[in-house]
Amino acid sequence: MESKKSNVPRPIKKLDESVVNRIAAGEIIQRPSNALKELIENSLDAGATNIQILIKEGGLKLLQILDNGHGIRREDMAIVCERFTTSKLRNFEDLLHIGTYGFRGEALASISHVAHLTIATKTADSNCAYRACYSDGKLVPPKPGVAAEPKACAGNIGTQITAEDLFYNVPTRRKALKNPNEEYARILDVVNRYAIHNAGVGFSCKKQGSTQADVNTLSTASTLDNIRQIYGSTTSELLEFGKTFRKLEFRVNGYISNPNYNLKKMVFLLFINHRAVESSLLKKTIESVYTTYLPKNTHPFVYLSLEINPENVDVNVHPTKREVRFLNEEEIITAVGDAIQERLVGANSSRIFLTQTLLPGAKPIEINTNEAESSIKKPGTKVLTYKHVRTDSRAQTLDRFCAPDDVSNSFNAVPQSSADNEFDTRHSFHDSIEGDNAVSSSLKRKRDRNEVRLTSILTLRKRLREVEHKGLTELLSNHTMVGCVDDSLTLALIQHQTKLYMINYNVLSEELFYQLTLQEFSNFGFIQLSSPAPIYDLIIYALESSVQETENLKPNHEIALIIVNKLISRRQMLLEYFSMTVNEQGELVTLPLMLKGYSPNLNKLPTFLLRLGTEVDWDTEIGCFETLSREFGLFYAPEPPDFSFQDADDDLMDIDTNNEHADINAKKQERDGVITNQRQKAEIAKYRWQIEHLIFPTLKGQFIAPKSIAESGHVLQIANLPDLYRIFERC
């Protein structure tokens, strides 16, 4: 229907206070991540060193934050959710040198207008904690017929804030935020940023019902440790960056990626006076600097912290405080861009490239992609030989069927004597179960395959397909192994079609053995230890070797005893489902056989047994099977041989070489050194054989690549054959 325009002006009326508050709340709390950002900043202002976050349905159903800050006084709880109530600002001039995140006193008020809010808090001088519920900025009773005043309750020093049913009274906003996964991703982004910037604060964030946190940083970790925890191997390619500009009254520091590293999407973490903000102009400036160094359509990782004179910064610009204004903005942004340019120029003088073998005087031959080797020669230069990989994935080498001697004998070792097996804390753990002597010739394979009908296992297997990255799965299933690049960094090269990739096979192996544990559930073979391993002694060794602080934990012997009793009580389940035998004396007798011919690194066994007690969720079925499978993945993932214990023994032999037996000791040390070098070479050969002929073929045939690996930079394309052709043409 058409409405006729009236010439009569409408009367101006004052909006109802509840309408005003709801409109204002919608400007500040636009989505769950905005609410969480405000709550995190409140916790940091309260001096918290540990912040725990719990989320349900992307924060729309539940958003809970728990900190160990100084708490809220009981007498302040009546007004804590009213608008413009704050402990951080007294007059407008305080904004000129504001040193806290919050200052307007609107965050809790805004949340209380669009969610059901509950606060539980305790101060250091209070005998107990107090809990109160809020709606529209006012105290409300938790249920009808009960007083609204804060109620005494149990609790630790700090504050727990729970927001439920966010935007329950704003249906249009609630409908617009219909993707919980997207909202949870935004929440993780906020937590990641503050976790990296606040190195002295521990952060954890997980979904309700999940046993593992998606973000978990320690209060003792450094900024670089937190970046490594969140973004993986990025840290090996980062450059520390810092510079002071006295004329412009600011300082910048942080970490930026070097020219060897690039991402499909830029990671830009910007803090100005410790506040997470956005600056599109600074982002464009940084990207323009990197265009000189990075391939087209790739981007850097940048974390910057700018400390500007507070009197030159206006933080009261945007309701969510995500934007700030400051004096000399263009000059400061230009100065930051120039400083990054200088840092990259210095780092670019040394770049990482693959090396080729120099063959002086070699004769040039025709390039043939079907030949194993070819060379290119220019007048007056040496010849570079290039080893071409087979492009047919069906091609195999003869050594595929011929394992090194150490590998073929790894399951036929002679059992150690009782003296050799005696656990002695004076020596390294490697001396107690040295090499493959811990494994006897008894390898048993179950003949009849059991059909698994447990809903929990079927659910975990289904989840593998739900998070599959089909492109990476296809790449790995049709790749050609080129070779190991760096054993210490667990890097290898593979070829797929015309592209060359570098992958971190340790990360992929952890996921691979996790999947094998689920796939072979209740159908494992057995690895029989040559003599039962004392679980209690191994856990004690792991605890004594740990570098973590244990002041607030139970004594080591109590922890070890608890874990041993737990494993003994669950030994029937471990044997039936995982072929892991624990006898009544608390000794480990067998381990599951994941891959024929493959044995785990037994130096990791003490840590593995310790983590079975600390990291496995023994209370729920699906949680138990998932976390236990993850621990098997960590334990079985290959790691390079560790020869540090041998170096320690050599150091001991160097003592007192000037006595009458010096010549005898020198000859013995020389003979032992030759044997040690031979053994080290044999162990490295065995390790690489297992990687090339056991791990990678299994990745090709049975691996379901998750999206998390594809997005974390553990599989990087480093060369493309058509691009190389263009380079050779220009040469």
Side-chain angles (χ1 to χ4, degrees):
M1 293 179 62
E2 294 184 0
S3 59
K4 295 182 179 180
K5 294 184 179 180
S6 175
N7 293 326
V8 180
R10 295 181 180 179
I12 298 176
K13 296 182 179 180
K14 185 177 181 179
L15 289 175
D16 185 76
E17 185 177 355
S18 62
V19 177
V20 173
N21 290 332
R22 197 172 299 178
I23 293 173
E27 293 180 348
I28 298 172
I29 309 301
Q30 299 174 359
R31 55 194 336 133
S33 56
N34 296 127
L36 180 63
K37 175 180 178 292
E38 299 290 343
L39 296 178
I40 289 177
E41 290 179 348
N42 281 349
S43 296
L44 294 173
D45 283 339
T49 59
N50 187 276
I51 299 176
Q52 301 175 27
I53 300 158
L54 188 64
I55 303 296
K56 182 177 181 181
E57 294 184 12
L60 295 171
K61 193 67 177 176
L62 172 70
L63 192 155
Q64 184 180 89
I65 182 169
L66 172 66
D67 67 52
N68 63 345
H70 53 57
I72 303 171
R73 301 187 308 166
R74 185 192 185 285
E75 50 266 34
D76 293 333
M77 294 186 71
I79 63 170
V80 70
C81 285
E82 292 184 7
R83 291 187 69 192
F84 310 123
T85 56
T86 179
S87 62
K88 306 159 189 175
L89 195 68
R90 288 292 176 264
N91 51 61
F92 186 80
E93 287 71 24
D94 290 343
L95 282 174
L96 296 177
H97 47 81
I98 190 73
T100 58
Y101 290 102
F103 53 85
R104 283 197 298 255
E106 288 188 290
L108 290 177
S110 298
I111 297 174
S112 72
H113 283 288
V114 292
H116 301 300
L117 190 69
T118 303
I119 299 178
T121 184
K122 182 180 184 298
T123 59
D125 57 355
S126 176
N127 295 326
C128 63
Y130 291 92
R131 181 189 303 273
C133 299
Y134 298 86
S135 179
D136 293 330
K138 304 294 183 182
L139 283 169
V140 295
K143 57 183 178 180
V146 179
E149 286 76 18
K151 300 293 188 300
C153 64
N156 297 322
I157 296 176
T159 303
Q160 181 188 71
I161 299 179
T162 305
E164 299 176 280
D165 298 320
L166 194 62
F167 302 121
Y168 73 96
N169 53 359
V170 190
T172 54
R173 179 71 60 85
R174 185 66 179 257
K175 290 180 181 178
L177 305 174
K178 58 184 178 181
N179 190 340
N181 291 333
E182 179 182 348
E183 298 308 315
Y184 188 62
R186 291 176 180 270
I187 285 173
L188 290 181
D189 180 65
V190 171
V191 179
N192 288 342
R193 290 171 182 267
Y194 279 93
I196 289 174
H197 184 70
N198 296 275
V201 182
F203 283 82
S204 70
C205 179
K206 68 177 183 178
K207 293 180 180 179
Q208 187 182 47
S210 175
T211 58
Q212 290 186 334
D214 295 293
V215 178
N216 190 12
T217 63
L218 302 176
S219 59
T220 56
S222 65
T223 299
L224 206 58
D225 293 333
N226 290 338
I227 295 177
R228 183 184 297 109
Q229 174 74 16
I230 295 170
Y231 291 99
S233 60
T234 307
T235 53
S236 61
E237 303 291 348
L238 293 185
L239 303 172
E240 190 170 4
F241 173 67
K243 192 170 184 179
T244 301
F245 300 83
R246 300 188 183 279
K247 184 177 180 180
L248 295 173
E249 297 183 290
F250 85 98
R251 171 177 172 76
V252 59
N253 59 74
Y255 291 91
I256 59 176
S257 57
N258 65 27
N260 295 319
Y261 184 82
N262 60 77
L263 299 166
K264 292 182 178 180
K265 184 179 180 181
M266 182 178 182
V267 176
F268 183 40
L269 312 178
L270 175 63
F271 287 79
I272 295 181
N273 289 358
H274 307 291
R275 191 184 304 278
V277 296
E278 298 175 1
S279 174
S280 57
L281 183 58
L282 180 56
K283 183 177 180 181
K284 290 179 181 178
T285 301
I286 294 173
E287 286 207 285
S288 66
V289 171
Y290 272 94
T291 53
T292 310
Y293 303 94
L294 300 183
K296 188 177 181 181
N297 297 325
T298 61
H299 307 275
F301 173 96
V302 177
Y303 157 64
L304 294 180
S305 174
L306 275 70
E307 297 181 38
I308 305 175
N309 186 345
E311 296 183 359
N312 297 339
V313 180
D314 184 3
V315 296
N316 192 26
V317 175
H318 194 277
T320 63
K321 310 187 192 82
R322 68 182 181 185
E323 295 179 5
V324 296
R325 295 285 184 268
F326 45 90
L327 295 178
N328 306 315
E329 185 169 353
E330 293 185 2
E331 290 86 347
I332 289 177
I333 290 176
T334 301
V336 172
D338 292 342
I340 292 177
Q341 174 76 35
E342 293 175 7
R343 187 68 178 91
L344 291 176
V345 168
N348 199 40
S349 61
S350 174
R351 300 189 66 175
I352 300 173
F353 295 95
L354 299 180
T355 59
Q356 295 87 27
T357 306
L358 287 172
L359 296 180
K363 295 181 179 179
I365 61 176
E366 281 185 34
I367 297 177
N368 188 336
T369 56
N370 293 324
E371 293 178 349
E373 296 184 356
S374 62
S375 60
I376 303 172
K377 185 176 181 181
K378 289 185 178 182
T381 62
K382 297 180 180 179
V383 177
L384 294 177
T385 64
Y386 297 86
K387 294 186 177 181
H388 292 269
V389 299
R390 291 174 174 81
T391 55
D392 185 357
S393 62
R394 295 169 296 180
Q396 298 189 44
T397 58
L398 288 177
D399 67 342
R400 170 69 178 84
F401 307 97
C402 302
D405 293 338
D406 282 352
V407 177
S408 60
N409 295 329
S410 63
F411 298 114
N412 296 286
V414 178
Q416 294 176 320
S417 66
S418 59
D420 292 333
N421 284 322
E422 183 179 356
F423 192 86
D424 187 352
T425 57
R426 293 174 299 175
H427 300 290
S428 69
F429 171 69
H430 195 285
D431 293 330
S432 303
I433 51 172
E434 186 171 356
D436 298 305
N437 291 339
V439 185
S440 77
S441 60
S442 178
L443 285 179
K444 307 172 186 177
R445 170 64 69 178
K446 296 180 181 178
R447 293 183 179 179
D448 299 329
R449 188 168 182 85
N450 297 324
E451 181 181 358
V452 179
R453 297 183 179 179
L454 290 176
T455 304
S456 55
I457 293 297
L458 298 179
T459 300
L460 291 174
R461 290 175 178 176
K462 182 179 178 182
R463 288 180 185 174
L464 297 177
R465 290 295 181 185
E466 291 175 351
V467 298
E468 179 185 10
H469 190 286
K470 296 186 182 297
L472 183 56
T473 301
E474 191 274 334
L475 185 153
L476 292 171
S477 63
N478 294 283
H479 80 270
T480 301
M481 172 70 172
V482 178
C484 295
V485 177
D486 190 320
D487 293 334
S488 62
L489 298 178
T490 63
L491 300 177
L493 293 178
I494 63 172
Q495 179 185 350
H496 179 254
Q497 297 178 354
T498 62
K499 297 178 180 179
L500 189 65
Y501 297 86
M502 183 165 62
I503 69 173
N504 186 325
Y505 57 79
N506 178 265
V507 175
L508 269 67
S509 297
E510 290 181 11
E511 180 67 24
L512 171 65
F513 283 108
Y514 166 70
Q515 295 181 13
L516 288 176
T517 307
L518 297 180
Q519 293 166 7
E520 297 299 315
F521 184 85
S522 191
N523 288 283
F524 295 103
F526 292 85
I527 297 179
Q528 183 83 30
L529 301 185
S530 60
S531 61
I535 297 177
Y536 176 87
D537 292 339
L538 298 182
I539 294 175
I540 290 293
Y541 175 83
L543 289 169
E544 292 177 349
S545 302
S546 174
V547 297
Q548 297 181 357
E549 295 291 336
T550 58
E551 295 180 358
N552 299 325
L553 298 180
K554 296 180 179 179
N556 288 350
H557 68 275
E558 290 187 20
I559 297 175
L561 192 60
I562 291 173
I563 298 175
V564 171
N565 292 335
K566 175 68 71 174
L567 295 179
I568 292 176
S569 66
R570 305 281 179 162
R571 64 193 184 96
Q572 188 63 37
M573 181 270 289
L574 293 172
L575 175 61
E576 180 179 355
Y577 293 148
F578 300 98
S579 296
M580 180 176 172
T581 306
V582 177
N583 61 24
E584 295 180 352
Q585 290 73 39
E587 297 173 324
L588 181 65
V589 181
T590 67
L591 288 167
L593 178 62
M594 297 280 188
L595 290 175
K596 185 178 180 181
Y598 181 84
S599 59
N601 185 346
L602 292 180
N603 284 328
K604 298 161 64 176
L605 184 57
T607 303
F608 168 67
L609 295 172
L610 173 62
R611 289 176 62 89
L612 290 185
T614 60
E615 303 299 327
V616 175
D617 176 15
W618 296 101
D619 298 327
T620 63
E621 180 178 306
I622 189 171
C624 174
F625 291 152
E626 181 180 17
T627 53
L628 189 54
S629 299
R630 289 290 180 192
E631 292 308 314
F632 275 115
L634 287 170
F635 176 43
Y636 276 77
E639 288 187 2
D642 182 11
F643 303 118
S644 58
F645 71 96
Q646 294 177 352
D647 295 336
D649 291 341
D650 293 341
D651 293 339
L652 290 175
M653 294 183 63
D654 289 337
I655 300 175
D656 195 17
T657 58
N658 294 321
N659 58 26
E660 59 184 2
H661 302 291
D663 293 337
I664 298 176
N665 289 340
K667 292 179 181 179
K668 182 178 183 300
Q669 187 172 357
E670 182 179 359
R671 182 178 68 255
D672 292 343
V674 173
I675 296 174
T676 299
N677 290 335
Q678 292 175 347
R679 177 172 181 175
Q680 289 181 0
K681 291 179 180 178
E683 288 191 20
I684 292 174
K686 170 196 167 183
Y687 167 76
R688 290 182 175 176
W689 189 93
Q690 289 185 330
I691 297 300
E692 183 174 353
H693 300 292
L694 295 179
I695 298 298
F696 275 91
T698 309
L699 286 172
K700 178 179 289 190
Q702 303 182 39
F703 189 60
I704 301 173
K707 295 177 182 177
S708 58
I709 289 181
E711 297 168 355
S712 59
H714 295 301
V715 179
L716 297 175
Q717 177 187 327
I718 60 175
N720 187 9
L721 194 57
D723 295 337
L724 293 177
Y725 284 155
R726 296 190 190 100
I727 294 174
F728 288 135
E729 289 171 0
R730 289 198 296 268
C731 295

